[in-house]
Amino acid sequence: EVRLTGAHRFCLIAAARFKMHRLQSIAARSLMAGALEPCPALAAPVPGRRTNRAGLRRYNASGAPAAAVAAARNGKAREKTLTMETLNPQVKAVEYAVRGPIVIKAGEIERILQEGGKKPFTEVIKANIGDAHAMGQQPITFLRQVVALCTFPELLDSPSFPEDAKRRAQRILQGCGGRSLGSYSASQGVDCIRQDIAAYIEQRDQGVPSNWENIFLTTGASDGIVSILRLLVSGEGRARTGVMIPIPQYPLYSAAIAELGAVQVNYYLDEDNCWALDVHELHRAYQAAKQHCQPRVLCIINPGNPTGQVQSKKCIEDVLHFAYEENLFVMADEVYQENVYAPDCEFHSFKKVLYEMGPEYFNSVELASFHSTSKGYTGECGFRGGFMEIVNLDPEVKAQLVKLLSVRLCPPVAGQAAMDVIVNPPQPDEPSFAQFHKEKASVLGALADKAKLTEQILSAVPGIKCNPVQGAMYAFPQIFIPPRAVEEAKALGMQPDMLYCLRLLEETGICVVPGSGFGQREGTYHFRMTILPSPEKLKVLLEKVRDFHIKFLKENSALEEPQCRVQA
């Protein structure tokens, strides 16, 4: 007789458990086939453990493999816990047109072309999303140098990198745990980067004070926007939070509102006045919404996405006065602040205008403003860098925000480093300034030229009306769709502009987004396209859109010539 010590018994049990874990799936498959023979490896009894004749442990009813085998023999499959019936209904309500059905179809067509399939075109031109580098824009050298130095500090000894890039990298690394970009930062972000952002805001706003402790680094601007909305959404029934958003809008807002179960309150931009924001429309939307919810949030996108307008200072003053009177929290999406092309337009930050309205406004209106690495002249979408500045937030609520952000630990530290370069670029007395300034001016100059080209070509097409692209990265032209095509779309269960964009994709390879995914006035139809492709490719794209639209009108006209009008 062999006596087992406690340690020996523990080892035997652990070994048996390990074998059971490895062979469990094999045994289950064999049982279902009715082919399991007693296995010596499984037959040895484990002291203190009940086993069946084959040496297999029988689990209780809460999860026994034997029960699953019996169910399989009886033809009964285990029901899934997560189905469309049990799925969170707020998730089902989320829609995001920018990567919706059109883009999925474009991916399918790309695969067909790659596999040698034939289409009436040789490539898919994706004009659906503001992804600058995917469209061929080159990175800003200085930004990539600083991030490369932060990522691989051994390069700090290389003579190939300029000293101003090295100084910035060393400062960022000093703020990182273990002097490594691979460490977590504080949930609010690296302190020295937050300080640089505050200094940038003060310079941008010509001396308006900025407290770095009110700066929060985010995973792109989207992360900050959703985080603030999470704080604001509360109440039930008529007390549920209403969120006022512009129509047309960037679908992040409608998607976040749906996911959080808030109430979407639409206010319409004035298309006939270059998509201006009319404060009378804000009052109309607010009063109508009060019948079924409690409007508490006002969202502004300036410069506009998808509409490309740049709001005037007077307009911003009117908006802030309205928010002050109605006690609304203002969310200013300003990620395109560098993207202003029209010579008679200028970017005005909501914070600067609020400050200039006097202490009564500046010390009371709650404001969150957002910026990102993804847009501007850098177009660094993949770094997922961004920040938000919070003004007049209740100190206890601010502590709750820090708690909420702590759940996701921290935003990508490489993205934070990229954001630092944007707010702390080379100065005129530094060695990298000349190249940096040349690259920045080249990007913004090319975008301005492409904005003008887009408006000129589209506006000359019968049945298309395109407002000037004053800023941002998109055009949002209104398109005339003949009644026959409208009826066809309804019969197919889709929006008319979705039908239009699908046909455009299938016949030309051009991928744009239907205006219905952004919101539009009833009876009007649009699509959004980015102006990011190279000038040569953009001209081809616009000419293809022109030719397709004229063909589309002719094919869908009745016996008489179509009335190629868009609504004024």
Side-chain angles (χ1 to χ4, degrees):
E1 180 180 355
V2 179
R3 295 197 174 193
L4 297 177
T5 65
H8 289 141
R9 185 176 293 109
F10 175 82
C11 291
L12 282 172
I13 293 172
R17 284 179 176 172
F18 178 72
K19 289 180 180 179
M20 287 289 299
H21 177 74
R22 293 187 62 187
L23 296 171
Q24 185 180 24
S25 61
I26 300 171
R29 285 198 298 270
S30 300
L31 276 168
M32 283 187 277
L36 182 65
E37 295 294 334
C39 176
L42 295 174
V46 179
R49 175 69 58 82
R50 290 185 179 181
T51 60
N52 61 14
R53 291 180 181 178
L56 290 171
R57 178 185 176 189
R58 288 190 176 274
Y59 291 87
N60 60 29
S62 64
V69 170
R73 282 178 173 168
N74 294 330
K76 296 178 180 178
R78 176 184 175 276
E79 292 184 359
K80 291 188 180 296
T81 301
L82 183 59
T83 65
M84 287 303 293
E85 286 70 33
T86 60
L87 180 68
N88 183 340
Q90 290 168 197
V91 172
K92 287 192 278 189
V94 170
E95 294 184 3
Y96 189 66
V98 175
R99 297 197 176 192
I102 293 283
V103 183
I104 294 171
K105 181 68 174 177
E108 293 173 357
I109 293 174
E110 276 189 318
R111 285 191 290 274
I112 291 171
L113 291 173
Q114 289 167 0
E115 293 168 1
K118 299 299 181 184
K119 291 286 180 182
F121 45 86
T122 57
E123 67 171 333
V124 173
I125 302 177
K126 290 185 176 178
N128 62 294
I129 193 167
D131 189 350
H133 291 200
M135 291 285 100
Q137 180 178 312
Q138 294 302 301
I140 298 296
T141 302
F142 186 74
L143 185 149
R144 288 296 182 92
Q145 286 175 330
V146 174
V147 175
L149 290 164
C150 290
T151 305
F152 193 58
E154 286 81 351
L155 294 173
L156 288 165
D157 297 326
S158 169
S160 300
F161 289 79
E163 290 303 314
D164 48 354
K166 290 180 180 179
R167 284 194 298 271
R168 283 164 176 76
Q170 287 169 333
R171 183 167 185 267
I172 293 169
L173 289 172
Q174 285 172 358
C176 297
R179 294 179 59 88
S180 172
L181 214 62
S183 61
Y184 288 128
S185 74
S187 298
Q188 302 96 312
V190 177
D191 282 354
C192 68
I193 298 177
R194 297 167 71 199
Q195 292 161 5
D196 287 345
I197 292 170
Y200 159 81
I201 291 172
E202 287 193 8
Q203 183 182 35
R204 179 198 68 187
D205 293 343
Q206 299 174 325
V208 177
S210 177
N211 182 349
W212 71 271
E213 293 186 335
N214 291 332
I215 306 294
F216 297 81
L217 275 300
T218 57
T219 306
S222 303
D223 173 46
I225 290 166
V226 174
S227 295
I228 295 300
L229 285 174
R230 283 199 180 102
L231 296 180
L232 287 158
V233 175
S234 64
E236 299 295 336
R238 291 184 63 177
R240 190 64 172 168
T241 295
V243 182
M244 300 182 68
I245 64 172
I247 298 297
Q249 53 101 22
Y250 177 48
L252 163 70
Y253 290 92
S254 56
I257 290 167
E259 184 179 354
L260 296 171
V263 179
Q264 179 174 319
V265 179
N266 297 339
Y267 65 88
Y268 290 87
L269 302 178
D270 184 358
E271 184 171 10
D272 293 333
N273 192 21
C274 206
W275 298 110
L277 198 168
D278 182 358
V279 72
H280 298 294
E281 171 63 11
L282 290 179
H283 282 287
R284 181 208 61 78
Y286 178 83
Q287 293 301 328
K290 284 182 69 176
Q291 306 303 312
H292 60 272
C293 70
Q294 180 55 57
R296 299 176 62 209
V297 192
L298 174 59
C299 300
I300 313 287
I301 309 173
N302 181 51
N305 176 11
T307 46
Q309 87 287 4
V310 179
Q311 302 294 1
S312 69
K313 183 179 179 181
K314 176 64 167 62
C315 173
I316 295 173
E317 288 175 346
D318 290 343
V319 170
L320 289 170
H321 179 74
F322 168 76
Y324 173 84
E325 292 291 328
E326 303 298 351
N327 200 29
L328 296 173
F329 190 109
V330 178
M331 297 176 63
D333 183 340
E334 299 175 334
V335 301
Y336 297 100
Q337 58 189 259
E338 296 276 3
N339 301 104
V340 178
Y341 315 124
D344 56 341
C345 291
E346 180 182 354
F347 170 75
H348 301 277
S349 78
F350 268 71
K351 183 187 174 187
K352 182 174 185 287
V353 175
L354 184 65
Y355 180 83
E356 293 173 345
M357 291 173 71
E360 183 180 2
Y361 290 88
F362 187 67
N363 295 329
S364 61
V365 174
E366 296 150 285
L367 169 68
S369 52
F370 307 90
H371 198 14
S372 169
T373 63
S374 302
K375 309 306 176 185
Y377 58 90
T378 58
E380 294 282 10
C381 302
F383 276 114
R384 307 307 301 131
F387 73 80
M388 58 182 175
E389 182 184 27
I390 312 298
V391 177
N392 293 322
L393 197 64
D394 181 282
E396 292 185 9
V397 174
K398 183 178 177 181
Q400 294 295 312
L401 173 61
V402 173
K403 178 187 74 175
L404 181 65
L405 297 177
S406 298
V407 173
R408 53 92 157 120
L409 296 177
C410 71
V413 182
Q416 296 185 49
M419 192 78 250
D420 187 74
V421 180
I422 292 172
V423 300
N424 187 21
Q427 298 304 303
D429 60 345
E430 292 185 301
S432 298
F433 177 79
Q435 182 180 7
F436 169 81
H437 184 267
K438 179 181 178 182
E439 291 175 353
K440 176 181 176 180
S442 175
V443 171
L444 293 177
L447 285 170
D449 291 341
K450 290 186 287 188
K452 187 178 295 185
L453 176 69
T454 300
E455 178 203 349
Q456 288 174 344
I457 293 181
L458 291 181
S459 294
V461 181
I464 294 183
K465 173 189 173 185
C466 185
N467 275 321
V469 182
Q470 297 174 334
M473 296 177 172
Y474 315 97
F476 196 68
Q478 186 180 153
I479 51 177
F480 172 76
I481 298 183
R484 177 185 291 182
V486 173
E487 292 303 316
E488 180 186 353
K490 288 179 180 178
L492 293 170
M494 66 175 65
Q495 292 290 334
D497 50 12
M498 172 67 81
L499 174 68
Y500 181 95
C501 292
L502 275 172
R503 293 274 174 83
L504 176 66
L505 173 63
E506 290 167 348
E507 295 184 24
T508 69
I510 294 171
C511 179
V512 297
V513 189
S516 51
F518 300 88
Q520 54 198 355
R521 283 194 180 275
E522 187 72 25
T524 67
Y525 308 107
H526 303 76
F527 64 79
R528 188 192 81 162
M529 59 162 284
T530 180
I531 62 171
L532 289 172
S534 67
E536 300 76 22
K537 187 170 288 188
L538 180 63
K539 189 174 182 182
V540 170
L541 182 156
L542 293 169
E543 289 172 349
K544 283 189 173 186
V545 169
R546 177 195 62 200
D547 295 344
F548 167 82
H549 188 76
I550 293 171
K551 178 171 173 281
F552 184 83
L553 291 178
K554 290 179 178 177
E555 289 176 349
N556 288 282
S557 63
L559 294 176
E560 53 186 308
E561 284 296 310
Q563 297 180 4
C564 299
R565 295 197 310 267
V566 290
Q567 289 195 8

